[in-house]
Amino acid sequence: MELDGRIIVKYNFAYLFTALIFLLVLGVHYSQNKQIRTNNNLLFRIIYSLGLLDIILDIFVSFMIENPSPTTTGILNISLVFFYVLQILFPYFFLVYTYSLQENSDKQIKKMVICISTVTFIGVLFMVVNPFFGYIYSVDAFGNYIIGPYYHLVYIYCFVYLLMAGFGSILFFKQIGKKNFITIWEFVFIILFFVFVQFKRPDLLTTGLGLSLGIFLFYLNTNNPEYSIDQLTNMLDNSQFPALYYLIEKEKKRMYLLVIDLYNLKDFNKIYGIYYGDVLLKKVAKHIDYKKRSASYSFRIKGNRFLVCCTDRNTYKLRKEEITQFLKKESEGDIPLDSLLIQMEDLSSFTNPDALIDYIEYLSQSIHKEKGFYYLEDTIKTRKGYEWYLSIESYITEAVDKNLFSIYYQPIYSLNTGKYDSAEALTRLFHPKLGQLNTELVFKIANEKGLQKKISKMQFENLIEFLQENPDIYLYLDHIKYNVSPVELMDEEHINFLIQCIEKSKLDFSKFKFEITEQISLKYSKEVDRVVDKLKNYGIRLILDDFGTGYSSMYSVLSLPFETIKIGRSLLKDIESEEKIYIFYKRLVDTFHRLGYTIVSEGIETENEWELLRSFHVDYLQGYYCSRPLDDKAFLAFCRKENS
């Protein structure tokens, strides 16, 4: 109770001790994980430390207030000064912390510090000189704590700062996101609730518990190290690399990188099982992740890729030597580890971490890897290669926007009619300086940039236009083959677009055959079955393309209504010199014929191959020996000449 301004009360310390234990356990758990020193993390540590000190001092001063003594007056006065300074600083840093949750928070924090630091400084100064004036509190000669006339200003100050944080979260909702917005307001309500409880029942000392619960909320939702840790390897994950990148850039330090790529991890999992694949990842992670080295940070940035970042050259050289020896040794073990180590020393030309990650992906894909340990150094040559790659990326985007792709037609010879009575429509892209670009590279980049379906639609419209402008083409051809990828086949909207194009053109559906690569066997589903039935109902016939290129499955042949199977060149290679290949190819053709399929042999390059496959009685022959892909004018001329 209060008597002549003096506090005479029997305190219940249970809530404060609960809050203290709660925060100590939280601090131990938080400190066990290595983290990037971002502004947000730094500010969280500050408000955690302030909250912890506030609770400790609250226990101490409450005990002394409860047990006044003339001999402890000075100690109580000093303790109260520190305690109330914390009461001023905590709302300030909490407000700054909420602003650090925004994107581009550095600028926001600077603005916040400028705007409110003066008020906070005045508040701290006021608390320091308060013992001389007693405006907030005073301690008499007997050690009694006496509240001052302006005691409630502390509550008003805290209340204003909490509301500023809350309304700031409303103002910058898009920048901080829904999750952080909810957390800020939960914190505000928790603090206000427990302050209100203590205001009504001063003996309960509940403010400290509210403070600890609020800090726990932010730990759980915005600063939980577990969210940035890869659960399998216990390393920092890819979300933390940008934070380190910008921190090093801000501190004007140099960054050195080592990239470890376990390029055959999928094959390892297939051979030994996923369990042993995970054991392998943990083993690699344990070796390269040295948490005790402050100048070295390790990340798992992809399923099979690790990144070690060093901020000084000596640590970098040491880590490179250690990791190189480890990977070389593992590549020669009983269960060999296939790996690529990429060394990068000059990163000054990269403007952001995303650009750096893209370059790492390019380097990883730039060399042919089979088995064993490979080493690649970032050099002027690799940078130029990447610049070329980026120029191709840019040109592909431009080509899509301007419809610069071409269709070339490769004639297909029918052994049944003795004529070139069909053709495959192939996509080609020509660069003004480099000439024809590698089609495989073009589609790889297009897939990465999400342009594959757009190119397919555009090319099909170009094909339809060509057929409409040259109606006599079907005097020579029975049908045109057009490639549809598994991704496109599984997109019903895309298939509907192709169907609508044919409907609008008034062309005969039966004049089209869609070639689908055998990868579809890996993605087969009821959805695919439904789309295939739709094509079949419209009279569009299906061809299984590139049979034997690595994804072969008799299930893929028998499960979908293909009428034609194209056997890829990979099964034709060495057929003249290897008896086993000869026997296998011949019996494969016989088997498919007995099952009722039409057979196209792809990749015919020599006269001997031509004659050999004629003797196997395949139905169609396709390849450079028959004809190279031709542009529309050359193709028309070829058809008229060969079938005149």
Side-chain angles (χ1 to χ4, degrees):
M1 65 179 181
E2 180 182 340
L3 181 63
D4 299 327
R6 293 177 295 160
I7 298 296
I8 302 175
V9 66
K10 187 70 175 175
Y11 288 120
N12 182 344
F13 288 92
Y15 293 104
L16 277 180
F17 281 116
T18 301
L20 178 61
I21 295 170
F22 194 78
L23 279 189
L24 287 174
V25 172
L26 180 65
V28 170
H29 186 74
Y30 181 77
S31 63
Q32 287 177 342
N33 294 284
K34 187 175 183 179
Q35 299 168 67
I36 308 302
R37 294 179 291 105
T38 62
N39 279 330
N40 181 259
N41 285 336
L42 177 61
L43 286 166
F44 177 77
R45 290 170 186 168
I46 290 174
I47 67 169
Y48 170 82
S49 300
L50 291 175
L52 184 63
L53 286 173
D54 182 271
I55 292 170
I56 293 172
L57 279 173
D58 201 358
I59 293 173
F60 183 73
V61 298
S62 296
F63 178 80
M64 294 190 71
I65 290 171
E66 189 181 52
N67 302 278
S69 171
T71 60
T72 59
T73 301
I75 297 175
L76 178 58
N77 249 319
I78 295 173
S79 300
L80 284 169
V81 168
F82 281 107
F83 176 69
Y84 279 107
V85 166
L86 288 176
Q87 298 284 306
I88 298 299
L89 290 178
F90 186 90
Y92 168 75
F93 279 103
F94 167 69
L95 182 58
V96 176
Y97 172 76
T98 60
Y99 273 71
S100 76
L101 298 174
Q102 302 178 44
E103 297 177 3
N104 302 317
S105 60
D106 283 353
K107 295 180 180 178
Q108 295 295 343
I109 290 174
K110 288 179 182 178
K111 291 179 181 179
M112 177 58 60
V113 169
I114 293 171
C115 292
I116 65 172
S117 59
T118 303
V119 176
T120 303
F121 176 76
I122 293 172
V124 170
L125 186 62
F126 189 73
M127 289 302 173
V128 171
V129 300
N130 176 78
F132 300 102
F133 302 100
Y135 290 128
I136 302 298
Y137 69 90
S138 61
V139 180
D140 65 17
F142 300 99
N144 293 307
Y145 174 76
I146 305 170
I147 62 174
Y150 301 109
Y151 173 77
H152 297 298
L153 282 179
V154 178
Y155 286 94
I156 295 172
Y157 171 88
C158 295
F159 181 73
V160 169
Y161 272 61
L162 287 173
L163 288 185
M164 286 174 65
F167 287 113
S169 69
I170 296 174
L171 189 62
F172 300 104
F173 178 80
K174 290 184 179 179
Q175 289 92 326
I176 67 171
K178 181 180 178 181
K179 184 178 181 180
N180 289 332
F181 172 83
I182 293 173
T183 303
I184 290 171
W185 277 103
E186 285 176 336
F187 180 91
V188 171
F189 284 123
I190 286 173
I191 295 295
L192 291 179
F193 172 76
F194 281 100
V195 168
F196 177 77
V197 171
Q198 185 166 329
F199 182 76
K200 289 293 185 179
R201 288 284 305 274
D203 60 304
L204 293 180
L205 301 178
T206 56
T207 301
L209 181 59
L211 203 62
S212 66
L213 290 176
I215 292 172
F216 174 71
L217 269 178
F218 278 106
Y219 166 81
L220 194 65
N221 293 325
T222 64
N223 287 89
N224 189 344
E226 297 297 330
Y227 291 160
S228 58
I229 299 295
D230 177 66
Q231 296 303 309
L232 177 65
T233 61
N234 202 33
M235 299 175 70
L236 293 169
D237 64 17
N238 60 342
S239 68
Q240 293 300 293
F241 177 65
L244 177 64
Y245 180 94
Y246 288 122
L247 177 65
I248 293 175
E249 184 181 63
K250 180 182 177 182
E251 295 178 348
K252 301 187 183 303
K253 292 182 179 179
R254 187 167 180 177
M255 183 189 296
Y256 305 86
L257 289 184
L258 294 168
V259 182
I260 299 93
D261 196 332
L262 310 183
Y263 58 86
N264 274 342
L265 183 62
K266 286 185 178 179
D267 292 338
F268 186 95
N269 285 337
K270 289 178 182 177
I271 296 171
Y272 299 103
I274 294 177
Y275 171 79
Y276 289 102
D278 289 346
V279 171
L280 173 69
L281 288 169
K282 290 178 183 178
K283 182 178 182 181
V284 174
K286 183 178 179 181
H287 187 87
I288 67 176
D289 187 25
Y290 287 144
K291 293 183 173 66
K292 294 182 180 179
R293 292 184 175 168
S294 59
S296 176
Y297 293 85
S298 303
F299 305 82
R300 185 186 182 197
I301 60 171
K302 201 176 179 181
N304 63 336
R305 189 171 299 158
F306 301 91
L307 189 152
V308 177
C309 175
C310 304
T311 54
D312 73 72
R313 186 169 181 80
N314 290 333
T315 302
Y316 168 73
K317 291 171 69 176
L318 179 63
R319 299 306 318 276
K320 182 177 68 172
E321 183 64 26
E322 291 172 344
I323 293 171
T324 300
Q325 290 180 3
F326 168 74
L327 294 177
K328 282 185 176 179
K329 181 180 178 181
E330 291 298 314
S331 69
E332 299 168 356
D334 295 334
I335 302 179
L337 169 66
D338 301 322
S339 59
L340 166 67
L341 178 63
I342 302 174
Q343 170 189 345
M344 303 179 68
E345 296 190 22
D346 182 12
L347 308 176
S348 58
S349 62
F350 295 98
T351 56
N352 59 70
D354 290 336
L356 179 56
I357 292 296
D358 288 343
Y359 180 56
I360 290 172
E361 182 67 33
Y362 165 79
L363 289 177
S364 178
Q365 301 295 329
S366 64
I367 63 173
H368 177 70
K369 305 178 288 289
E370 292 182 353
K371 292 287 182 182
F373 171 71
Y374 291 83
Y375 177 81
L376 179 63
E377 186 177 356
D378 170 36
T379 63
I380 295 175
K381 183 178 180 181
T382 58
R383 292 288 179 98
K384 287 184 177 179
Y386 185 54
E387 289 174 5
W388 174 85
Y389 183 84
L390 291 179
S391 70
I392 299 299
E393 267 193 348
S394 176
Y395 183 71
I396 290 173
T397 303
E398 179 186 354
V400 171
D401 293 337
K402 297 181 179 180
N403 196 1
L404 300 179
F405 286 86
S406 302
I407 295 183
Y408 271 52
Y409 302 86
Q410 187 168 33
I412 301 174
Y413 186 80
S414 170
L415 289 170
N416 298 322
T417 64
K419 297 180 179 180
Y420 287 92
D421 65 1
S422 64
E424 180 179 357
L426 301 166
T427 294
R428 296 288 183 266
L429 179 61
F430 291 85
H431 192 280
K433 294 181 179 179
L434 302 174
Q436 181 181 324
L437 298 178
N438 180 279
T439 303
E440 188 175 331
L441 174 64
V442 169
F443 278 104
K444 175 182 176 294
I445 294 174
N447 288 338
E448 292 172 354
K449 297 179 73 65
L451 297 173
Q452 178 181 339
K453 293 177 185 177
K454 192 171 183 178
I455 294 172
S456 176
K457 289 179 179 181
M458 182 173 61
Q459 287 293 81
F460 197 69
E461 288 178 325
N462 292 337
L463 172 61
I464 293 293
E465 183 179 350
F466 168 75
L467 296 175
Q468 286 180 309
E469 291 176 354
N470 301 279
D472 62 323
I473 192 72
Y474 285 123
L475 295 174
Y476 316 111
L477 301 181
D478 175 67
H479 62 271
I480 292 282
K481 297 178 174 66
Y482 184 76
N483 290 286
V484 177
S485 72
V487 173
E488 293 164 5
L489 184 69
M490 291 187 292
D491 185 347
E492 195 165 357
E493 183 275 330
H494 184 82
I495 295 300
N496 288 337
F497 173 84
L498 301 182
I499 291 172
Q500 289 168 9
C501 284
I502 300 174
E503 284 182 328
K504 291 178 182 178
S505 69
K506 307 299 182 183
L507 294 172
D508 189 343
F509 280 96
S510 65
K511 297 298 184 180
F512 293 88
K513 286 188 178 183
F514 286 174
E515 293 193 5
I516 304 166
T517 62
E518 60 180 352
Q519 294 178 30
I520 193 62
S521 65
L522 301 177
K523 304 177 182 293
Y524 182 77
S525 64
K526 292 182 179 180
E527 288 74 16
V528 173
D529 202 12
R530 186 172 62 250
V531 172
V532 167
D533 285 341
K534 176 181 286 190
L535 293 173
K536 187 178 178 182
N537 291 336
Y538 274 95
I540 298 174
R541 293 166 286 174
L542 299 180
I543 300 173
L544 179 65
D545 192 17
D546 289 334
F547 181 86
T549 56
Y551 297 87
S552 300
S553 166
M554 288 305 295
Y555 177 77
S556 67
V557 178
L558 301 175
S559 62
L560 293 173
F562 297 112
E563 69 161 30
T564 302
I565 296 174
K566 294 182 76 172
I567 302 177
R569 166 113 190 131
S570 61
L571 294 182
L572 185 61
K573 187 179 179 182
D574 298 326
I575 194 170
E576 297 177 62
S577 57
E578 294 288 342
E579 184 179 4
K580 290 182 179 179
I581 296 176
Y582 175 94
I583 295 172
F584 177 77
Y585 201 112
K586 187 176 187 303
R587 291 186 177 176
L588 187 65
V589 173
D590 291 340
T591 300
F592 281 145
H593 272 153
R594 288 178 183 177
L595 292 172
Y597 294 103
T598 300
I599 305 300
V600 180
S601 287
E602 283 189 289
I604 313 303
E605 296 181 357
T606 67
E607 183 178 358
N608 287 341
E609 290 173 350
W610 171 285
E611 294 298 334
L612 189 62
L613 293 170
R614 280 175 66 97
S615 69
F616 288 176
H617 303 293
V618 300
D619 302 285
Y620 291 94
L621 298 171
Q622 179 180 355
Y624 279 12
Y625 181 77
C626 307
S627 172
R628 289 180 174 273
L630 306 169
D631 63 27
D632 48 7
K633 292 181 180 178
F635 176 61
L636 286 171
F638 178 90
C639 289
R640 289 163 183 161
K641 177 183 177 182
E642 291 295 327
N643 296 287
S644 59

